[in-house]
Structures are given as C-alpha cells and as structure tokens.
Amino acid sequence: MRIETIRHVHCTVLRATGELDHAGRVRFSACINAVWDWTQGPVLVFDLADLDFYDSSVIGVLAMAMQRMEEEGGGRIIVVRPSAHLLSVLRLTDLLSHVELRGSVDDTVAELTLQSRATAAAAHGGRAAAGRYQRP
C-alpha cells in the first residue's frame, strides 16, 4: 500500500493506493497520527478511490480517527470519491453518519478554503482579515 499525504492550509489529504489489509492499517493509522496536528480540528480528507483491495481494516482506520476526534473534542472526516462498495460498508457499520462525502479532492480543498475565508470575514464584521488591505 502507498500512502500520500498532502498538507493544505485548511485540511490534510490522505490518498491511499494498493491494498489495505491489516499491515496497511497499522501503517495508515500511524500516518494519520503523524499528520494529526497539521490542521486545526483536524480536517482529514481521505481519498480511497484507488485502493485495489481493502478488508475491514478500512473501517478500523476511519473508526480510529473518529474515536480520537471524539476524545479530543472535534474534527472532520471527509471521504472523497467513495466506491459503491465502500459506501455500503460505511452504511452497514453506521460510520456513514460520521463522515462527509465529496466528489473530488480539488473541490473539497477549494470549499474548505472558501468556508475558512467566510468564517474569518464574519469574525471581522464582514471586513477583510487583519493585515490585508481592503478598498473602501
């Protein structure tokens, strides 16, 4: 299994390819722990569409992240481009209600950036963030 991590300002993308079995679950969980503090929350975006094979280990990986988020008081898990089989597994294990689904990594990163800007603008009374010039 190959795990690629991409650090963005508002999220961390974890893209897994190959086969996710028990040994891969241990590596994937360690990777999640290593990038945990890269973003506030954290916001973890999982792109699992290129996995050739996965067993129940995929549930273990997501459940571990969800449990840690619950223990630490927050965070978001976004699953991008899930296969029909993965959706079925998430539904059967009741994990579907705990994750967000999106169609593409690029759109997700853009959406999170816009949400962050809107939140920052609202916090500044609709003005630009401190330190940035805004034309009157």
Side-chain angles (χ1 to χ4, degrees), residues 41-98:
V43 178
L44 303 176
V45 178
F46 290 89
D47 184 353
L48 308 175
D50 293 326
L51 285 175
D52 299 322
F53 168 83
Y54 56 88
D55 57 16
S56 61
S57 297
V58 72
I59 299 306
V61 167
L62 294 173
M64 180 277 301
M66 286 177 207
Q67 181 178 0
R68 185 167 174 191
M69 286 180 182
E70 188 174 302
E71 290 169 358
E72 295 187 10
R76 293 170 69 184
I77 294 177
I78 301 170
V79 179
V80 176
R81 304 183 309 144
S83 67
H85 181 253
L86 181 56
L87 281 173
S88 176
V89 169
L90 292 172
R91 192 174 294 111
L92 288 170
T93 57
D94 196 35
L95 295 179
L96 188 58
S97 63
H98 301 281

Side-chain angles (χ1 to χ4, degrees), residues 1-114:
M1 182 177 74
R2 182 170 187 262
I3 305 165
E4 177 184 4
T5 57
I6 305 167
R7 185 178 191 170
H8 295 276
V9 174
H10 306 291
C11 67
T12 300
V13 176
L14 297 113
R15 179 173 288 133
T17 58
E19 298 183 1
L20 175 54
D21 55 12
H22 177 72
R25 181 190 59 79
V26 172
R27 286 185 44 235
F28 206 178
S29 295
C31 182
I32 292 167
N33 287 328
V35 304
W36 192 264
D37 293 323
W38 282 8
T39 60
Q40 184 177 358
V43 178
L44 303 176
V45 178
F46 290 89
D47 184 353
L48 308 175
D50 293 326
L51 285 175
D52 299 322
F53 168 83
Y54 56 88
D55 57 16
S56 61
S57 297
V58 72
I59 299 306
V61 167
L62 294 173
M64 180 277 301
M66 286 177 207
Q67 181 178 0
R68 185 167 174 191
M69 286 180 182
E70 188 174 302
E71 290 169 358
E72 295 187 10
R76 293 170 69 184
I77 294 177
I78 301 170
V79 179
V80 176
R81 304 183 309 144
S83 67
H85 181 253
L86 181 56
L87 281 173
S88 176
V89 169
L90 292 172
R91 192 174 294 111
L92 288 170
T93 57
D94 196 35
L95 295 179
L96 188 58
S97 63
H98 301 281
V99 302
E100 301 171 45
L101 303 176
R102 298 291 186 280
S104 82
V105 170
D106 291 341
D107 289 348
T108 302
V109 171
E111 175 187 334
L112 292 168
T113 300
L114 289 174

